[in-house]
Amino acid sequence: MTIFLEGGPAAPLALRPLLVELNDLKRVHAAGRTGSIAERLFAQGWGALTGGASAEDVALDITAKALAAARLCDLDAAFLAAVGLDPAAASGVLVAGFDAVTDSVNTALRDRLRARLREPGGVVPGPLPGFVSALVHQPRAGVTCPGKPRILLEPPENHAEHCLMVAVYGVVLSPFYRADPTLVFLAAMSHHFHNAAMPDAGFTGEMLLGEHLLPIMARTTQWALDELDPPLRETVARARAVLPDDATAEGRAFHAADCIDRVLQIAQHLRAAGLTMGTVLDEMELVHAGPVKEFHDRVLTDMHIP
């Protein structure tokens, strides 16, 4: 993978298809499970952290699970075990899903992430801080600009989904910026702590708050930090030091991930709106090859569909 250098590319174009595909984890749901995959991985990550797992282990574990889920969706370790696959067979499926999408990921990082799927950790989750549920239930503002009405796109993502996606993107992008992936992951997982209590009125609302914005954000961020035990609180607070700017490698990796996720969230709405039947039937083979394919084609033709 190309390494970020001053004056060179500001982001690795080769990762674009993977980041686009990962973004849909904010919209994939399954029966019997509450919330999207991204939402649930956000909760899993914080549960592992409060349960005593190292931040590095959590960053690698959650990122590996997200990458495997890009194609497998909720065919995850829990489901595979429930239907009788032994650990070796289950990890083989997860690795196959992971390998299907990660050709563009830095080789050394890819090997570390793959190892997490082959030998998952056994940390008992700790209690979920209240900010996890609050961020799950806090919708993001949509497209806002001072002086103009907002543009709402339904369904809205929530702040837990956004934080999780930025965290996973940040880990995947870290080698390009020579950044510490663990630091980027923690910064991303906590970067909207203030929105656990503060409703999101977007850029417009922030500008209207004026001089009150920063004190309010500081106060509501501290409320979330105070839910963590002191050692974890201090670790998260140190990671958050990279958030204000792009002066560090970790700051660049975080802000690249944040920017990419915000724009791809809107891009998926536009992509869906521009979908054509040619794409669905010809490229994606909605009516796919099989013993009744010829009959299906005749039915559609005679029904004048499309």
Side-chain angles (χ1 to χ4, degrees):
M1 177 183 292
T2 304
I3 299 297
F4 174 81
L5 296 171
E6 294 297 336
L13 179 59
L15 284 171
R16 183 185 185 280
L18 172 60
L19 302 186
V20 170
E21 187 167 357
L22 278 171
N23 206 265
D24 279 337
L25 295 185
K26 294 188 284 187
R27 292 168 285 276
V28 177
H29 295 248
R33 301 189 182 193
T34 301
S36 67
I37 291 177
E39 185 179 309
R40 285 182 269 117
L41 287 176
F42 180 75
Q44 283 182 40
W46 281 110
L49 287 166
T50 63
S54 75
E56 180 181 18
D57 284 346
V58 176
L60 294 174
D61 184 62
I62 294 298
T63 301
K65 287 176 178 175
L67 289 165
R71 294 284 170 87
L72 288 168
C73 298
D74 269 314
L75 301 179
D76 59 7
F79 170 79
L80 296 173
V83 294
L85 271 66
D86 62 40
S91 67
V93 172
L94 296 174
V95 168
F98 174 91
D99 286 344
V101 299
T102 53
D103 283 350
S104 59
V105 176
N106 172 270
T107 301
L109 176 61
R110 186 170 67 234
D111 290 345
R112 295 177 71 198
L113 293 168
R114 188 187 292 111
R116 300 298 304 187
L117 297 174
R118 288 186 171 138
E119 298 180 13
V123 174
V124 177
L128 285 183
F131 62 72
V132 171
S133 177
L135 290 170
V136 164
H137 289 94
Q138 191 74 274
R140 284 174 58 76
V143 183
T144 69
C145 180
K148 300 177 181 178
R150 76 182 59 247
I151 300 172
L152 289 175
L153 298 169
E154 297 290 340
E157 63 179 325
N158 63 53
H159 279 275
E161 292 168 329
H162 169 65
C163 288
L164 182 282
M165 196 55 54
V166 175
V168 170
Y169 281 7
V171 171
V172 173
L173 289 165
S174 287
F176 181 80
Y177 300 98
R178 295 178 176 168
D180 177 353
T182 302
L183 205 60
V184 178
F185 180 86
L186 279 182
M189 288 282 280
S190 63
H191 80 286
H192 274 283
F193 265 5
H194 58 285
N195 286 119
M198 180 181 178
D200 189 357
F203 185 36
T204 298
E206 292 175 355
M207 293 301 96
L208 291 172
L209 282 171
E211 64 182 12
H212 305 297
L213 173 64
L214 293 182
I216 289 173
M217 289 181 65
R219 189 172 302 118
T220 51
T221 294
Q222 192 61 51
W223 291 347
L225 283 168
D226 286 345
E227 295 187 50
L228 302 173
D229 290 338
L232 179 56
R233 183 192 312 150
E234 292 163 11
T235 299
V236 172
R238 284 195 299 271
R240 286 177 52 85
V242 310
L243 295 176
D245 54 47
D246 62 356
T248 63
E250 290 73 27
R252 287 189 285 275
F254 164 76
H255 284 289
D258 184 45
C259 173
I260 290 168
D261 180 62
R262 281 188 284 139
V263 176
L264 286 183
Q265 172 67 20
I266 307 304
Q268 69 87 20
H269 285 280
L270 301 178
R271 188 170 71 250
L275 189 65
T276 67
M277 197 60 75
T279 298
V280 171
L281 290 177
D282 300 332
E283 295 180 28
M284 301 301 292
E285 300 183 53
L286 179 64
V287 180
H288 50 76
V292 293
K293 171 74 163 62
E294 182 179 352
F295 177 67
H296 284 170
D297 288 340
R298 287 174 54 201
V299 168
L300 294 176
T301 297
D302 292 344
M303 289 294 290
H304 293 190
I305 303 173

